[in-house]
Amino acid sequence: MSVRALKGNGRWWALSGCLLWLAFTFFPLYWVAITSFKTPLGVVGGPTYIPFVDFEPSLSAWSELLSGQRGQFYNTFIASTIVGLSASLLATAIGSMAAYALVRFTFEVKLLSALIFVIVAFGGYLIGYSVLNFRQGPSLIYAFVVALPLAIASSRLRLPGPVLGNNDIVFWFVSQRMFPPIVAAFALFLMYTEIGKMGFKLVDTYIGLTFAYVAFSLPIVIWLMRDFFEALPIEVEEAAMVDNVPTWRIFFGIVLPMSKPGLIATFMITLAFVWNEFLFALFLTSSKWQTLPILVAGQNSQRGDEWWAISAAALVAIIPMVIMAGILSRLMRSGLLLGAIK
């Protein structure tokens, strides 16, 4: 039932409920904002709610944060922005292509081929490391190089056993998010460390953190974009195929413009995940490429949590996402309206 259909006191009750929910939603943000303008004594002295009435505002927390006394704020902000935008753009681009392929093409993966890949990869790694006395990094690379083409070649044979389809592949992608993040973060740290011993530094680097976030975000991108692509009319693509338009031109020239609202929404969700992610940044960075969640978590001392400093750092982390969401939501709405008109 629409709110516009309500009459008399019903509208006032609906409006009161919406205002109450709005106040309930915005109060934590308001509390963080006023706490960032309090002095240490103002925070520990008891709750105060209204600036210039209950307490005298102070810029001490903001001064300490922006001057670098609370950590390298500018470097951290720039690192978060660069890594967040790069990882979100890459994940959205790669995940969109994968999602489109899973919607428009039929894939068949033999379960036995997947088992061959796992057995050869793990077995080759153990043989290289334990028997041939290779280091862990080279052993892992050699085993993967042998296992991947062997699994692809075996999939072309008539092997017994079940065959996995598109839905199974999508479920496999989504199931990657079911693992505890600590497992993936620790495994990535060990792998990056071994690769670093080979001369390719990935720990506390832009490439290493970005690749980790791309891999972390791909399952959700594929899952979301698959639903958007399934909702698109296939007749437009079939008409282009009749005119012998290449598949890549259909995807970039027809499908992507039609799915603009979905791309923007997926990019926003991915950026929010990457911007707020803490565990990977904690494991894979040390100083140069630390992100804002690490800066926020570090706003304490031997005296305990210093909420005035934490509030200032939290606002810095929140405001850019609010601005980005406002800008992209306007583009998303315009894309929806354009699609409705067409």
Side-chain angles (χ1 to χ4, degrees):
M1 184 176 181
S2 174
V3 176
R4 295 181 178 180
L6 298 175
K7 296 181 180 180
N9 294 331
R11 283 194 172 188
W12 290 107
W13 281 111
L15 178 60
S16 301
C18 290
L19 292 176
L20 182 62
W21 179 253
L22 183 66
F24 178 79
T25 304
F26 275 91
F27 181 77
L29 293 177
Y30 171 76
W31 188 256
V32 171
I34 64 171
T35 302
S36 68
F37 291 101
K38 294 180 180 179
T39 62
L41 292 178
V43 173
V44 300
T48 51
Y49 304 93
I50 304 175
F52 299 104
V53 176
D54 290 339
F55 67 95
E56 189 67 26
S58 173
L59 296 175
S60 59
W62 288 96
S63 176
E64 292 177 359
L65 180 67
L66 299 178
S67 65
Q69 299 180 37
R70 291 284 178 174
Q72 298 181 354
F73 163 73
Y74 295 103
N75 293 341
T76 303
F77 183 83
I78 293 172
S80 285
T81 303
I82 295 175
V83 172
L85 292 177
S86 301
S88 301
L89 286 172
L90 281 173
T92 304
I94 298 172
S96 297
M97 290 186 282
Y100 179 75
L102 289 169
V103 169
R104 293 293 186 253
F105 305 101
T106 301
F107 293 91
E108 293 183 351
V109 179
K110 296 180 176 64
L111 182 60
L112 190 56
S113 297
L115 292 177
I116 289 174
F117 173 80
V118 173
I119 293 173
V120 173
F122 277 95
Y125 167 75
L126 293 176
I127 291 174
Y129 181 66
S130 302
V131 178
L132 301 179
N133 295 323
F134 292 151
R135 289 185 301 179
Q136 292 184 358
S139 299
L140 184 62
I141 294 174
Y142 295 152
F144 180 81
V145 169
V146 173
L148 183 60
L150 186 61
I152 294 175
S154 65
S155 66
R156 299 180 178 274
L157 303 176
R158 292 185 177 180
L159 300 176
V163 178
L164 307 180
N166 288 30
N167 291 332
D168 300 307
I169 297 173
V170 173
F171 176 78
W172 180 81
F173 275 115
V174 177
S175 67
Q176 307 306 306
R177 298 301 301 271
M178 299 180 184
F179 291 103
I182 184 66
V183 177
F186 186 65
L188 274 176
F189 174 75
L190 294 178
M191 185 178 71
Y192 280 10
T193 302
E194 291 300 323
I195 294 176
K197 294 178 181 178
M198 300 171 57
F200 302 97
K201 184 181 178 182
L202 291 177
V203 177
D204 200 23
T205 62
Y206 163 74
I207 294 177
L209 190 59
T210 302
F211 280 178
Y213 282 147
V214 170
F216 171 75
S217 305
L218 273 178
I220 191 69
V221 172
I222 293 173
W223 181 43
L224 292 174
M225 289 307 303
R226 180 172 177 262
D227 292 337
F228 281 110
F229 288 142
E230 284 182 339
L232 296 178
I234 196 174
E235 292 79 11
V236 180
E237 300 175 45
E238 292 175 343
M241 292 179 184
V242 173
D243 295 334
N244 293 324
V245 179
T247 304
W248 66 269
R249 286 190 60 188
I250 294 176
F251 177 72
F252 288 103
I254 298 176
V255 175
L256 288 186
M258 291 174 61
S259 58
K260 177 182 174 182
L263 286 171
I264 295 174
T266 302
F267 174 79
M268 289 171 56
I269 294 172
T270 305
L271 181 60
F273 274 118
V274 174
W275 187 268
N276 297 317
E277 204 284 324
F278 174 79
L279 196 60
F280 284 96
L282 179 64
F283 271 81
L284 303 180
T285 62
S286 57
S287 58
K288 186 177 180 180
W289 286 97
Q290 283 187 343
T291 56
L292 283 173
I294 306 298
L295 179 69
V296 175
Q299 301 307 307
N300 52 37
S301 65
Q302 297 178 351
R303 295 170 294 182
D305 296 327
E306 299 183 351
W307 294 109
W308 52 95
I310 294 176
S311 298
L315 278 180
V316 170
I318 292 172
I319 291 174
M321 285 302 302
V322 173
I323 296 174
M324 181 70 71
I327 295 173
L328 295 181
S329 63
R330 292 178 61 88
L331 294 175
M332 187 169 62
R333 286 195 299 269
S334 64
L336 287 170
L337 291 175
L338 184 60
I341 294 173
K342 287 183 178 181

